[in-house]
Amino acid sequence: MPSRTIVLTGASDGIGAAAARQLAERGHRLLLVGRSAEKTAAVAQGLGAEHFVADFAKLDDVRALARDLLTTTDSVDVLANNAGAILGRRALTVDGHEQTFQVNHLAPFLLTQLLLPALQSGEGIVVNTASSAARRLARFDIDDLEGERSFGPNRAYGNAKLANILHARGLQARYGDAGISAVAFDPGNVRTSFATGSTSILRFVYRTPLARLLLISPEQGGENLTFFADGRPGTTWEPGTFYTERYPATPDQTNPLVHADMLVDLLWERSEAMLSRAR
């Protein structure tokens, strides 16, 4: 398969770093993005990749990242929106948005929009890393996306991960005819530092000695991300579909709201409106 130019966020650790190693072995050009300058540089230097730093809690960072990427390349074959986090008590970013919603959904939504011209010049693949939390934890309210009326860290994370899936569906519906192929997937429960800085009870799952038995390795999670970034839409995987690891999610693995076309459209419209106010 020809080499691709792949933008990979959340590349400094966990499944992002693992996928970066795997994709580099396949000969792809990698543009790695992370929040930690030191950790992202270390991963990139070990692979001979290019690296960029952005804090998704700051939308100006996302805009600057897009400008830097578009200066580096005029064609992006794959955008892997892998960055994300489960955070603590409700707090607002410098942009005035609830931090979990912004970091996990609004910032990747903005980055994708800003890179669309470059994506349409390339293979045009967008891969969103979602989670089983979209089914287990989400209590999605389109009129309360930022948890002003009801908030909990687990619920906020589940809602944001459901938004990742709805975003992929919206991309496919709007830009599929222009050559964009979008997909969302749950990488599995991966043994990483995820949730370490959170107040969520989930942080104990990742710290327990049983984690080695209960959770898959970062390499396995990375292989699931690599499957989509390195695959061929329509052959390896079907655009617009939600996957659990590398298989189409079954009904019991899927939040029923995933299939709500009206919700896909409403989330898209609300996200655009939030970003227009944040300029």
Side-chain angles (χ1 to χ4, degrees):
M1 183 177 294
S3 173
R4 290 173 172 171
T5 296
I6 300 176
V7 176
L8 173 57
T9 72
S12 63
D13 200 357
I15 71 170
R21 291 189 290 270
Q22 295 157 14
L23 291 165
E25 289 173 358
R26 289 162 169 79
H28 298 297
R29 179 193 181 191
L30 299 179
L31 308 178
L32 305 182
V33 181
R35 185 167 63 91
S36 165
E38 183 178 356
K39 291 170 66 176
T40 309
V43 173
Q45 288 166 7
L47 302 175
E50 298 154 89
H51 68 281
F52 304 82
V53 177
D55 183 351
F56 278 17
K58 301 174 182 177
L59 293 179
D60 279 347
D61 271 24
V62 179
R63 296 185 180 100
L65 169 63
R67 288 194 296 270
D68 290 344
L69 289 168
L70 293 173
T71 299
T72 303
T73 182
D74 57 5
S75 177
V76 174
D77 299 304
V78 182
L79 169 60
N81 286 316
N82 175 66
I86 185 168
L87 301 168
R89 63 176 57 89
R90 188 177 187 276
L92 300 183
T93 68
V94 294
D95 305 288
H97 297 291
E98 191 279 312
Q99 60 180 348
T100 304
F101 184 74
Q102 176 167 319
V103 168
N104 288 279
H105 168 68
L106 207 56
F109 182 96
L110 174 60
L111 180 61
T112 305
Q113 293 299 98
L114 294 174
L115 294 183
L116 271 176
L119 282 160
Q120 290 171 321
S121 297
E123 291 276 338
I125 294 172
V126 178
V127 182
N128 284 354
T129 301
S131 169
S132 61
R135 173 182 56 85
R136 295 184 292 105
L137 303 178
R139 299 293 183 272
F140 201 84
D141 182 349
I142 193 64
D143 294 319
D144 191 29
L145 290 172
E146 305 199 68
E148 294 178 278
R149 292 198 297 265
S150 180
F151 183 86
N154 291 349
R155 176 187 299 180
Y157 179 69
N159 288 345
K161 291 291 102 179
L162 178 56
N164 294 156
I165 304 171
L166 298 173
H167 175 221
R169 288 201 59 221
L171 274 169
Q172 190 62 41
R174 285 163 175 77
Y175 298 101
D177 290 343
I180 298 293
S181 296
V183 67
F185 79 107
D186 167 18
N189 296 318
V190 184
R191 189 171 64 248
T192 68
S193 58
F194 177 77
T196 299
S198 170
T199 60
S200 167
I201 195 170
L202 290 179
R203 67 190 187 278
F204 297 114
V205 175
Y206 291 85
R207 293 178 183 175
T208 176
L210 290 175
R212 190 163 295 276
L213 297 176
L214 298 174
L215 308 176
I216 65 175
S217 70
E219 289 71 25
Q220 290 172 296
E223 287 170 359
N224 293 332
L225 174 53
T226 296
F227 173 80
F228 296 98
D230 188 53
R232 187 171 297 281
T235 302
T236 309
W237 47 267
E238 286 302 316
T241 302
F242 171 53
Y243 283 76
T244 295
E245 299 190 24
R246 305 181 204 182
Y247 302 95
T250 59
D252 66 309
Q253 296 171 322
T254 307
N255 188 315
L257 294 179
V258 164
H259 305 295
D261 293 342
M262 183 178 294
L263 195 60
V264 171
D265 293 337
L266 283 171
L267 176 63
W268 192 282
E269 293 165 6
R270 301 286 171 89
S271 300
E272 286 186 326
M274 289 178 186
L275 291 171
S276 67
R277 292 197 300 270
R279 290 184 185 279

